[in-house]
Amino acid sequence: ICVVVAAIILGLVLSPSVNPNRDAAFAGSGQGSGLTFYATSDTPFDRDEEEQLAKDLSTIPNDAEFVMHLGNMQDADLSLCPETRAAEASSILRKSPVPMLVVPGEHDWVKCPRQADALNRWLAAFQNYDQEFARIMSFTRSANHPEVFVVLHKGVLFFGMHLVNGRVEDTEELEFLQEDMKSFFIGMLQDFAGQYRAIVMMGNARPGPRQQAFFTSIAPTLNAIEAPVVYLHANYGDTDVVMHTPFEDVDVLAIQVPKGGDHPPLKISVGFGSKPFVVGWRSMRLL
């Protein structure tokens, strides 16, 4: 007995100290490290931007675990949404050496002459996009709206949301989408309870009056959990990174991702603690 007790004491003395907030594996993450990804939006609008986006993806830094595109792969006011556009954009993103997370944007379908047809083309191009890298990241999608999804990766819960501005013709479907997203979001938070340290929400629309109802509907749930939350959205007029807290009733930090045609993908890291989100540019674009 004395020998066993001595061995235990010796093991405790010699074992390295562990900071549970940083070095120890977070429950459900499988790893005890932070993560880094890159985000872009509003690209490609023309052939030059197609070439630039392909180059940006091919030269994505080695620390990138994935890239997210926050929608608007065309300027619908100019292009009038050709039938081949979604498939063309998809072929460019599929060349990425790391997984891609994609959500629909206003210019991808809302601003198109035939909204329903444009949305169906987008869904055909992207709703099963994750199957190509299923071994790396596991997606859970809404049964009613497959463009809405969740990914748990290294203790961070990523939500792909269908949040767009503009006038939607089918108001009943829009209401159904909002309610379905709310139920899906709250349900996934419950299903993954105890497995995440931070939440990243991805959407196209900059938070405003049109998005208030959805964020208000999930406010009690968000405010009740301890994990910090960030909402990444596409560019709306400003070329630089914009960080803001748009809603008084929801404790969410929002970050506007600059237009991809003018800037390289934005680097975002998720660490630990109450303020885990770190935003920083890639040092330069490779010419």
Coordinates of all heavy atoms in Angstrom, one line a residue, residues 23-116:
D23 N -5.1 24.6 -22.4 CA -4.3 23.4 -22.9 C -5.1 22.1 -22.8 O -4.9 21.2 -23.6 CB -3.1 23.3 -22.0 CG -2.2 24.5 -22.1 OD1 -2.0 25.0 -23.2 OD2 -1.6 24.9 -21.1
A24 N -6.0 22.0 -21.9 CA -6.7 20.7 -21.8 C -7.8 20.6 -22.9 O -8.3 21.6 -23.4 CB -7.4 20.7 -20.4
A25 N -8.1 19.4 -23.3 CA -9.0 19.2 -24.4 C -10.4 19.6 -23.9 O -10.9 19.2 -22.9 CB -9.0 17.8 -24.8
F26 N -11.0 20.5 -24.7 CA -12.4 20.9 -24.3 C -13.4 19.8 -24.6 O -13.2 19.1 -25.6 CB -12.8 22.2 -25.1 CG -14.1 22.8 -24.7 CD1 -14.1 23.7 -23.6 CD2 -15.2 22.5 -25.4 CE1 -15.3 24.2 -23.2 CE2 -16.4 23.1 -25.0 CZ -16.5 24.0 -23.9
A27 N -14.4 19.6 -23.8 CA -15.3 18.6 -23.9 C -16.0 18.6 -25.3 O -16.5 19.6 -25.7 CB -16.4 18.6 -22.8
G28 N -15.9 17.5 -26.0 CA -16.6 17.5 -27.3 C -15.7 18.0 -28.5 O -16.1 17.8 -29.6
S29 N -14.6 18.6 -28.2 CA -13.8 19.1 -29.3 C -12.8 18.2 -29.9 O -12.5 18.2 -31.1 CB -13.0 20.4 -28.8 OG -12.0 19.9 -27.9
G30 N -12.4 17.2 -29.1 CA -11.4 16.3 -29.6 C -10.0 16.8 -29.6 O -9.0 16.1 -29.7
Q31 N -9.8 18.1 -29.4 CA -8.5 18.8 -29.3 C -8.5 19.9 -28.3 O -9.5 20.4 -28.0 CB -8.1 19.3 -30.7 CG -8.0 18.2 -31.8 CD -7.4 18.7 -33.1 OE1 -6.4 19.5 -33.0 NE2 -7.9 18.3 -34.2
G32 N -7.3 20.2 -27.9 CA -7.2 21.3 -26.9 C -6.6 22.5 -27.4 O -5.8 23.2 -26.7
S33 N -6.9 22.9 -28.6 CA -6.3 24.1 -29.2 C -7.3 24.9 -29.8 O -8.5 24.5 -30.0 CB -5.3 23.6 -30.3 OG -5.9 22.9 -31.4
G34 N -7.0 26.2 -30.1 CA -7.9 27.1 -30.8 C -7.9 26.7 -32.2 O -7.3 25.7 -32.7
L35 N -8.6 27.6 -33.0 CA -8.7 27.3 -34.4 C -8.7 28.6 -35.2 O -9.0 29.7 -34.7 CB -10.0 26.5 -34.8 CG -11.3 27.1 -34.5 CD1 -11.8 27.8 -35.7 CD2 -12.3 26.0 -34.1
T36 N -8.3 28.5 -36.5 CA -8.2 29.7 -37.4 C -8.9 29.3 -38.7 O -8.7 28.3 -39.2 CB -6.8 30.1 -37.6 OG1 -6.2 30.5 -36.4 CG2 -6.7 31.2 -38.7
F37 N -9.8 30.3 -39.1 CA -10.4 30.1 -40.4 C -10.4 31.5 -41.1 O -10.0 32.5 -40.6 CB -11.8 29.6 -40.3 CG -12.7 30.5 -39.5 CD1 -13.5 31.4 -40.2 CD2 -12.8 30.4 -38.1 CE1 -14.4 32.3 -39.5 CE2 -13.7 31.2 -37.4 CZ -14.5 32.2 -38.1
Y38 N -10.8 31.5 -42.4 CA -10.8 32.7 -43.2 C -12.2 32.9 -43.7 O -12.9 31.9 -44.0 CB -9.8 32.6 -44.3 CG -8.4 32.7 -43.8 CD1 -7.8 31.7 -43.1 CD2 -7.6 33.9 -43.9 CE1 -6.5 31.7 -42.6 CE2 -6.3 34.0 -43.4 CZ -5.8 32.9 -42.8 OH -4.5 33.0 -42.3
A39 N -12.6 34.2 -43.9 CA -13.9 34.5 -44.4 C -13.9 35.5 -45.5 O -13.0 36.4 -45.5 CB -14.8 35.0 -43.3
T40 N -14.8 35.4 -46.5 CA -14.9 36.3 -47.6 C -16.4 36.5 -47.9 O -17.2 35.7 -47.4 CB -14.1 35.9 -48.8 OG1 -14.1 36.9 -49.8 CG2 -14.7 34.6 -49.4
S41 N -16.7 37.5 -48.8 CA -18.1 37.7 -49.2 C -18.1 38.6 -50.4 O -17.0 39.1 -50.8 CB -18.9 38.4 -48.1 OG -18.4 39.7 -47.9
D42 N -19.2 38.7 -51.1 CA -19.4 39.6 -52.2 C -18.4 39.4 -53.3 O -17.8 40.4 -53.8 CB -19.4 41.0 -51.7 CG -20.4 41.3 -50.6 OD1 -21.6 41.5 -50.9 OD2 -20.0 41.2 -49.4
T43 N -18.2 38.2 -53.7 CA -17.2 37.9 -54.8 C -17.5 36.5 -55.3 O -18.0 35.6 -54.5 CB -15.8 38.0 -54.3 OG1 -14.9 37.9 -55.4 CG2 -15.4 36.9 -53.2
P44 N -17.3 36.1 -56.5 CA -16.8 37.0 -57.6 C -17.9 37.6 -58.4 O -18.8 37.0 -58.8 CB -16.0 36.0 -58.4 CG -16.8 34.7 -58.3 CD -17.4 34.7 -56.9
F45 N -17.7 38.9 -58.7 CA -18.7 39.7 -59.5 C -18.4 39.7 -61.0 O -19.2 40.0 -61.8 CB -18.8 41.1 -59.0 CG -19.6 41.2 -57.7 CD1 -20.2 40.1 -57.1 CD2 -19.8 42.4 -57.1 CE1 -20.9 40.2 -55.9 CE2 -20.5 42.6 -55.9 CZ -21.1 41.4 -55.3
D46 N -17.1 39.4 -61.4 CA -16.8 39.4 -62.8 C -15.6 38.5 -63.0 O -15.1 37.8 -62.1 CB -16.4 40.8 -63.3 CG -15.3 41.5 -62.4 OD1 -14.4 40.8 -61.9 OD2 -15.4 42.7 -62.2
R47 N -15.1 38.4 -64.2 CA -14.0 37.4 -64.5 C -12.7 37.7 -63.8 O -12.0 36.8 -63.3 CB -13.8 37.5 -66.0 CG -14.9 37.0 -66.9 CD -15.3 35.6 -66.5 NE -16.5 35.1 -67.3 CZ -17.1 34.0 -67.1 NH1 -16.8 33.2 -66.1 NH2 -18.1 33.6 -67.9
D48 N -12.4 39.0 -63.6 CA -11.2 39.3 -62.9 C -11.3 38.9 -61.4 O -10.4 38.3 -60.9 CB -11.0 40.9 -62.9 CG -10.6 41.3 -64.3 OD1 -10.1 40.5 -65.1 OD2 -10.7 42.6 -64.5
E49 N -12.5 39.0 -60.8 CA -12.7 38.6 -59.5 C -12.7 37.1 -59.4 O -12.3 36.5 -58.3 CB -14.0 39.2 -58.9 CG -13.8 40.7 -58.6 CD -15.0 41.3 -57.8 OE1 -15.9 40.5 -57.4 OE2 -15.0 42.5 -57.6
E50 N -13.2 36.4 -60.4 CA -13.1 34.9 -60.4 C -11.7 34.5 -60.3 O -11.3 33.6 -59.6 CB -13.8 34.4 -61.7 CG -15.3 34.5 -61.7 CD -15.9 34.0 -62.9 OE1 -15.2 33.5 -63.8 OE2 -17.2 34.0 -63.0
E51 N -10.8 35.1 -61.1 CA -9.4 34.7 -61.1 C -8.8 35.1 -59.8 O -8.0 34.3 -59.3 CB -8.7 35.5 -62.3 CG -9.1 35.0 -63.7 CD -8.4 35.8 -64.7 OE1 -7.6 36.7 -64.4 OE2 -8.7 35.6 -65.9
Q52 N -9.2 36.2 -59.2 CA -8.6 36.6 -57.9 C -9.0 35.7 -56.8 O -8.2 35.3 -55.9 CB -9.0 38.0 -57.6 CG -8.3 38.6 -56.3 CD -6.8 38.6 -56.4 OE1 -6.3 39.3 -57.2 NE2 -6.1 37.8 -55.6
L53 N -10.3 35.3 -56.8 CA -10.8 34.4 -55.8 C -10.1 33.0 -55.9 O -9.7 32.4 -54.9 CB -12.3 34.2 -55.9 CG -13.0 33.2 -54.9 CD1 -12.7 33.6 -53.5 CD2 -14.5 33.1 -55.2
A54 N -10.0 32.5 -57.1 CA -9.3 31.3 -57.3 C -7.8 31.3 -56.8 O -7.3 30.4 -56.1 CB -9.3 30.9 -58.8
K55 N -7.2 32.5 -57.0 CA -5.8 32.7 -56.5 C -5.8 32.8 -55.0 O -4.9 32.2 -54.3 CB -5.2 33.9 -57.2 CG -3.7 34.2 -56.8 CD -3.2 35.4 -57.4 CE -3.1 35.3 -58.9 NZ -2.5 36.5 -59.6
D56 N -6.7 33.5 -54.4 CA -6.8 33.6 -53.0 C -7.0 32.3 -52.3 O -6.4 32.0 -51.3 CB -7.9 34.6 -52.6 CG -7.6 36.0 -52.8 OD1 -6.4 36.4 -52.9 OD2 -8.5 36.8 -52.9
L57 N -7.8 31.4 -52.9 CA -8.0 30.1 -52.3 C -6.8 29.2 -52.5 O -6.5 28.4 -51.6 CB -9.3 29.5 -53.0 CG -10.6 30.2 -52.7 CD1 -11.7 29.5 -53.4 CD2 -10.9 30.2 -51.2
S58 N -6.2 29.3 -53.6 CA -5.0 28.4 -53.9 C -3.8 28.8 -53.0 O -2.9 28.0 -52.7 CB -4.6 28.5 -55.3 OG -4.1 29.8 -55.7
T59 N -3.8 30.1 -52.5 CA -2.7 30.5 -51.6 C -3.1 30.8 -50.2 O -2.5 31.5 -49.5 CB -2.1 31.8 -52.2 OG1 -3.1 32.8 -52.3 CG2 -1.5 31.6 -53.6
I60 N -4.2 30.1 -49.8 CA -4.7 30.3 -48.4 C -3.6 29.9 -47.5 O -3.0 28.8 -47.7 CB -6.0 29.6 -48.2 CG1 -6.8 30.2 -47.0 CG2 -5.8 28.1 -48.0 CD1 -7.5 31.5 -47.4
P61 N -3.4 30.6 -46.4 CA -2.3 30.2 -45.5 C -2.5 28.8 -44.9 O -3.6 28.3 -44.8 CB -2.3 31.3 -44.4 CG -2.9 32.5 -45.1 CD -3.9 31.9 -46.1
N62 N -1.4 28.3 -44.4 CA -1.4 26.9 -43.9 C -2.2 26.8 -42.6 O -2.6 25.7 -42.2 CB 0.0 26.4 -43.6 CG 0.8 26.2 -44.9 OD1 0.2 25.9 -46.0 ND2 2.1 26.3 -44.9
D63 N -2.4 27.9 -41.9 CA -3.2 27.8 -40.6 C -4.7 27.8 -40.9 O -5.4 27.6 -39.9 CB -2.8 29.0 -39.7 CG -3.1 30.4 -40.3 OD1 -3.6 30.4 -41.5 OD2 -2.9 31.4 -39.6
A64 N -5.1 27.9 -42.1 CA -6.6 27.9 -42.4 C -7.1 26.5 -42.3 O -6.7 25.6 -43.0 CB -6.8 28.4 -43.8
E65 N -8.1 26.3 -41.4 CA -8.8 25.0 -41.3 C -9.9 24.9 -42.2 O -10.3 23.8 -42.6 CB -9.2 24.8 -39.8 CG -8.0 24.8 -38.9 CD -8.4 24.1 -37.5 OE1 -9.2 23.2 -37.5 OE2 -7.8 24.6 -36.5
F66 N -10.5 26.1 -42.6 CA -11.5 26.1 -43.6 C -11.8 27.6 -44.0 O -11.2 28.5 -43.4 CB -12.9 25.5 -43.1 CG -13.4 26.1 -41.8 CD1 -14.3 27.2 -41.9 CD2 -13.1 25.6 -40.6 CE1 -14.8 27.8 -40.7 CE2 -13.6 26.1 -39.4 CZ -14.4 27.3 -39.5
V67 N -12.5 27.8 -45.0 CA -12.9 29.1 -45.5 C -14.4 29.2 -45.6 O -15.1 28.2 -46.0 CB -12.3 29.4 -46.9 CG1 -12.7 30.8 -47.4 CG2 -10.8 29.3 -46.9
M68 N -15.0 30.4 -45.2 CA -16.4 30.5 -45.3 C -16.7 31.7 -46.3 O -16.0 32.7 -46.3 CB -17.1 30.8 -43.9 CG -16.6 32.0 -43.2 SD -17.5 32.3 -41.7 CE -17.1 30.9 -40.7
H69 N -17.7 31.4 -47.1 CA -18.2 32.5 -48.0 C -19.6 32.9 -47.6 O -20.5 32.1 -47.4 CB -18.3 31.9 -49.4 CG -18.4 33.0 -50.5 ND1 -19.5 33.8 -50.6 CD2 -17.6 33.4 -51.5 CE1 -19.4 34.7 -51.6 NE2 -18.2 34.4 -52.2
L70 N -19.7 34.2 -47.3 CA -21.0 34.7 -46.7 C -21.9 35.2 -47.7 O -22.8 36.1 -47.4 CB -20.6 35.8 -45.7 CG -19.7 35.4 -44.6 CD1 -19.3 36.6 -43.7 CD2 -20.3 34.3 -43.7
G71 N -21.9 34.7 -48.9 CA -22.9 35.0 -49.9 C -22.6 36.2 -50.8 O -21.6 36.9 -50.6
N72 N -23.5 36.3 -51.9 CA -23.3 37.3 -52.9 C -22.2 36.9 -53.8 O -21.1 37.5 -53.8 CB -23.2 38.7 -52.4 CG -24.4 39.2 -51.6 OD1 -25.5 38.6 -51.7 ND2 -24.2 40.3 -50.9
M73 N -22.4 36.0 -54.7 CA -21.4 35.6 -55.7 C -21.7 36.2 -57.1 O -21.1 35.8 -58.1 CB -21.5 34.0 -55.8 CG -21.1 33.4 -54.5 SD -21.2 31.6 -54.6 CE -21.0 31.2 -52.9
Q74 N -22.5 37.2 -57.1 CA -22.7 38.0 -58.3 C -23.3 39.3 -57.9 O -23.8 39.5 -56.8 CB -23.7 37.3 -59.2 CG -25.1 37.1 -58.6 CD -26.0 36.3 -59.6 OE1 -25.8 36.2 -60.7 NE2 -27.0 35.7 -59.0
D75 N -23.3 40.3 -58.8 CA -24.0 41.6 -58.6 C -25.3 41.4 -59.4 O -25.3 41.6 -60.6 CB -23.2 42.7 -59.1 CG -23.9 44.1 -58.8 OD1 -25.1 44.1 -58.6 OD2 -23.2 45.1 -58.9
A76 N -26.4 41.0 -58.8 CA -27.6 40.7 -59.5 C -28.2 41.9 -60.3 O -28.8 41.7 -61.3 CB -28.7 40.2 -58.5
D77 N -27.9 43.1 -59.8 CA -28.4 44.3 -60.5 C -27.8 44.4 -61.9 O -28.4 45.0 -62.8 CB -28.0 45.6 -59.7 CG -28.8 45.6 -58.4 OD1 -29.9 45.0 -58.3 OD2 -28.3 46.2 -57.4
L78 N -26.6 43.9 -62.1 CA -25.9 44.0 -63.3 C -26.0 42.7 -64.1 O -26.2 42.7 -65.4 CB -24.4 44.3 -63.1 CG -24.1 45.7 -62.5 CD1 -22.6 45.8 -62.3 CD2 -24.7 46.8 -63.3
S79 N -25.9 41.6 -63.4 CA -25.8 40.3 -64.2 C -27.2 39.7 -64.5 O -27.4 38.9 -65.4 CB -25.1 39.2 -63.3 OG -25.9 38.9 -62.2
L80 N -28.2 40.2 -63.7 CA -29.6 39.7 -63.9 C -29.7 38.1 -63.7 O -30.6 37.5 -64.2 CB -30.2 40.0 -65.3 CG -30.3 41.6 -65.5 CD1 -30.9 41.8 -66.9 CD2 -31.2 42.2 -64.4
C81 N -28.7 37.6 -63.0 CA -28.8 36.2 -62.5 C -28.9 35.2 -63.6 O -29.9 34.5 -63.7 CB -29.9 36.0 -61.5 SG -30.0 37.3 -60.2
P82 N -27.8 35.0 -64.4 CA -27.9 33.9 -65.4 C -28.0 32.6 -64.8 O -27.6 32.3 -63.6 CB -26.5 34.1 -66.1 CG -25.7 34.8 -65.2 CD -26.6 35.7 -64.4
E83 N -28.6 31.6 -65.5 CA -28.9 30.3 -64.9 C -27.7 29.5 -64.5 O -27.7 28.7 -63.7 CB -29.7 29.5 -65.9 CG -31.1 30.1 -66.2 CD -32.0 29.2 -67.1 OE1 -31.4 28.1 -67.5 OE2 -33.1 29.6 -67.4
T84 N -26.6 29.8 -65.2 CA -25.3 29.1 -64.9 C -24.5 29.6 -63.8 O -23.5 29.1 -63.4 CB -24.5 29.1 -66.2 OG1 -24.1 30.4 -66.6 CG2 -25.2 28.4 -67.3
R85 N -24.9 30.8 -63.2 CA -24.0 31.5 -62.2 C -23.7 30.7 -61.0 O -22.5 30.6 -60.6 CB -24.7 32.8 -61.8 CG -23.7 33.7 -61.0 CD -22.5 33.9 -61.7 NE -21.4 34.4 -60.9 CZ -20.1 34.3 -61.2 NH1 -19.7 33.7 -62.3 NH2 -19.2 34.8 -60.4
A86 N -24.7 30.1 -60.4 CA -24.5 29.3 -59.1 C -23.5 28.2 -59.4 O -22.6 27.9 -58.6 CB -25.8 28.8 -58.6
A87 N -23.7 27.5 -60.5 CA -22.8 26.3 -60.8 C -21.4 26.8 -61.1 O -20.4 26.2 -60.7 CB -23.3 25.6 -62.0
E88 N -21.2 28.0 -61.8 CA -19.9 28.5 -62.1 C -19.2 28.9 -60.8 O -18.0 28.6 -60.6 CB -20.1 29.7 -63.0 CG -20.5 29.4 -64.4 CD -20.8 30.7 -65.2 OE1 -20.9 31.8 -64.6 OE2 -21.0 30.5 -66.4
A89 N -19.9 29.6 -59.9 CA -19.3 30.0 -58.6 C -18.9 28.7 -57.8 O -17.8 28.7 -57.2 CB -20.2 30.9 -57.8
S90 N -19.8 27.7 -57.8 CA -19.5 26.5 -57.1 C -18.2 25.8 -57.6 O -17.4 25.3 -56.8 CB -20.7 25.5 -57.2 OG -20.4 24.3 -56.6
S91 N -18.0 25.8 -58.9 CA -16.8 25.2 -59.5 C -15.5 25.9 -59.0 O -14.5 25.2 -58.8 CB -16.9 25.2 -61.0 OG -16.8 26.5 -61.5
I92 N -15.6 27.2 -58.8 CA -14.4 27.9 -58.3 C -14.2 27.6 -56.8 O -13.0 27.3 -56.4 CB -14.6 29.5 -58.4 CG1 -14.8 29.8 -59.9 CG2 -13.5 30.2 -57.8 CD1 -15.2 31.3 -60.1
L93 N -15.2 27.6 -56.0 CA -15.0 27.3 -54.6 C -14.6 25.9 -54.3 O -13.9 25.6 -53.4 CB -16.3 27.6 -53.8 CG -16.8 29.0 -53.9 CD1 -18.0 29.2 -52.9 CD2 -15.7 30.0 -53.5
R94 N -14.9 25.0 -55.2 CA -14.5 23.5 -55.1 C -13.0 23.3 -55.2 O -12.5 22.3 -54.9 CB -15.3 22.7 -56.1 CG -16.8 22.5 -55.7 CD -17.5 21.7 -56.7 NE -19.0 21.8 -56.5 CZ -19.6 21.0 -55.6 NH1 -19.0 20.1 -54.9 NH2 -20.9 21.1 -55.5
K95 N -12.4 24.3 -55.8 CA -10.9 24.2 -55.9 C -10.1 24.5 -54.7 O -8.9 24.4 -54.6 CB -10.5 25.1 -57.1 CG -11.0 24.8 -58.4 CD -10.6 25.8 -59.5 CE -11.2 25.4 -60.9 NZ -10.8 26.4 -61.9
S96 N -10.9 25.0 -53.6 CA -10.2 25.3 -52.4 C -9.5 24.1 -51.8 O -10.1 23.0 -51.8 CB -11.2 25.8 -51.4 OG -10.7 26.0 -50.1
P97 N -8.3 24.3 -51.3 CA -7.6 23.1 -50.7 C -8.1 22.8 -49.3 O -7.7 21.8 -48.8 CB -6.1 23.6 -50.7 CG -6.3 25.1 -50.5 CD -7.5 25.5 -51.4
V98 N -8.9 23.7 -48.7 CA -9.5 23.4 -47.4 C -11.0 23.4 -47.6 O -11.6 23.9 -48.5 CB -9.0 24.4 -46.4 CG1 -7.5 24.3 -46.1 CG2 -9.4 25.8 -46.8
P99 N -11.8 22.9 -46.6 CA -13.2 22.9 -46.7 C -13.8 24.3 -46.8 O -13.2 25.3 -46.3 CB -13.7 22.2 -45.4 CG -12.5 21.4 -45.0 CD -11.3 22.1 -45.4
M100 N -15.0 24.4 -47.5 CA -15.7 25.7 -47.7 C -17.0 25.6 -47.0 O -17.7 24.6 -47.1 CB -15.9 25.9 -49.2 CG -14.7 26.2 -50.0 SD -13.9 27.8 -49.6 CE -15.2 29.0 -49.9
L101 N -17.3 26.6 -46.2 CA -18.7 26.8 -45.6 C -19.4 27.9 -46.4 O -18.8 29.0 -46.5 CB -18.6 27.1 -44.1 CG -18.4 25.9 -43.2 CD1 -17.1 25.2 -43.5 CD2 -18.4 26.4 -41.7
V102 N -20.6 27.7 -46.9 CA -21.2 28.6 -47.8 C -22.6 28.9 -47.3 O -23.4 27.9 -47.0 CB -21.2 28.1 -49.2 CG1 -21.8 29.2 -50.2 CG2 -19.8 27.7 -49.7
V103 N -23.1 30.2 -47.3 CA -24.4 30.5 -47.0 C -25.0 31.4 -48.2 O -24.2 32.1 -48.8 CB -24.6 31.3 -45.7 CG1 -24.2 30.4 -44.5 CG2 -23.7 32.5 -45.7
P104 N -26.3 31.4 -48.4 CA -26.8 32.2 -49.5 C -26.8 33.7 -49.2 O -27.0 34.1 -48.0 CB -28.2 31.7 -49.7 CG -28.6 31.1 -48.4 CD -27.3 30.6 -47.8
G105 N -26.7 34.5 -50.2 CA -26.8 36.0 -50.1 C -27.9 36.6 -50.8 O -28.6 36.0 -51.7
E106 N -28.1 37.9 -50.5 CA -29.2 38.6 -51.2 C -29.1 38.6 -52.7 O -30.1 38.4 -53.4 CB -29.2 40.0 -50.6 CG -30.2 41.0 -51.2 CD -30.1 42.4 -50.7 OE1 -29.2 42.6 -49.8 OE2 -30.9 43.3 -51.1
H107 N -27.9 38.8 -53.2 CA -27.7 38.9 -54.6 C -27.7 37.5 -55.3 O -27.7 37.4 -56.5 CB -26.4 39.6 -54.9 CG -26.5 41.1 -54.8 ND1 -26.7 41.9 -55.9 CD2 -26.3 41.9 -53.8 CE1 -26.7 43.2 -55.5 NE2 -26.5 43.2 -54.2
D108 N -27.7 36.5 -54.5 CA -27.7 35.1 -55.0 C -29.1 34.7 -55.4 O -29.3 33.8 -56.3 CB -27.2 34.1 -54.0 CG -25.7 34.3 -53.7 OD1 -24.9 34.7 -54.6 OD2 -25.3 34.2 -52.5
W109 N -30.1 35.4 -54.8 CA -31.5 35.0 -55.2 C -32.5 36.1 -55.0 O -33.4 36.3 -55.8 CB -31.9 33.7 -54.6 CG -32.2 33.8 -53.1 CD1 -31.3 33.8 -52.1 CD2 -33.5 34.0 -52.5 NE1 -31.9 33.9 -50.9 CE2 -33.3 34.0 -51.1 CE3 -34.8 34.1 -52.9 CZ2 -34.3 34.1 -50.1 CZ3 -35.8 34.2 -52.0 CH2 -35.6 34.2 -50.7
V110 N -32.5 36.9 -53.9 CA -33.5 37.8 -53.6 C -33.6 38.9 -54.6 O -34.7 39.3 -55.0 CB -33.3 38.5 -52.2 CG1 -34.3 39.5 -51.9 CG2 -33.3 37.4 -51.1
K111 N -32.5 39.4 -55.2 CA -32.5 40.4 -56.1 C -32.6 39.9 -57.6 O -32.5 40.7 -58.5 CB -31.2 41.3 -56.0 CG -31.2 42.2 -54.8 CD -30.3 43.4 -54.9 CE -30.5 44.4 -53.9 NZ -29.8 45.6 -54.1
C112 N -32.8 38.6 -57.7 CA -32.9 38.1 -59.1 C -34.3 38.3 -59.6 O -35.3 38.3 -58.8 CB -32.5 36.6 -59.0 SG -30.8 36.3 -58.7
P113 N -34.5 38.3 -60.9 CA -35.8 38.5 -61.5 C -36.8 37.4 -61.1 O -38.0 37.7 -60.9 CB -35.5 38.4 -63.0 CG -34.1 38.9 -63.2 CD -33.4 38.3 -61.9
R114 N -36.4 36.2 -61.0 CA -37.2 35.0 -60.6 C -36.6 34.4 -59.3 O -35.7 33.6 -59.4 CB -37.4 34.0 -61.7 CG -38.1 34.6 -62.9 CD -38.3 33.5 -64.0 NE -37.0 33.1 -64.6 CZ -36.4 33.8 -65.5 NH1 -37.0 34.8 -66.1 NH2 -35.3 33.3 -66.0
Q115 N -37.1 34.9 -58.2 CA -36.4 34.6 -56.9 C -36.4 33.0 -56.7 O -35.4 32.5 -56.3 CB -37.2 35.3 -55.8 CG -36.9 36.8 -55.7 CD -37.6 37.4 -54.5 OE1 -38.3 36.8 -53.8 NE2 -37.3 38.7 -54.3
A116 N -37.6 32.4 -56.8 CA -37.7 31.0 -56.5 C -36.7 30.2 -57.4 O -36.0 29.2 -56.9 CB -39.1 30.5 -56.7

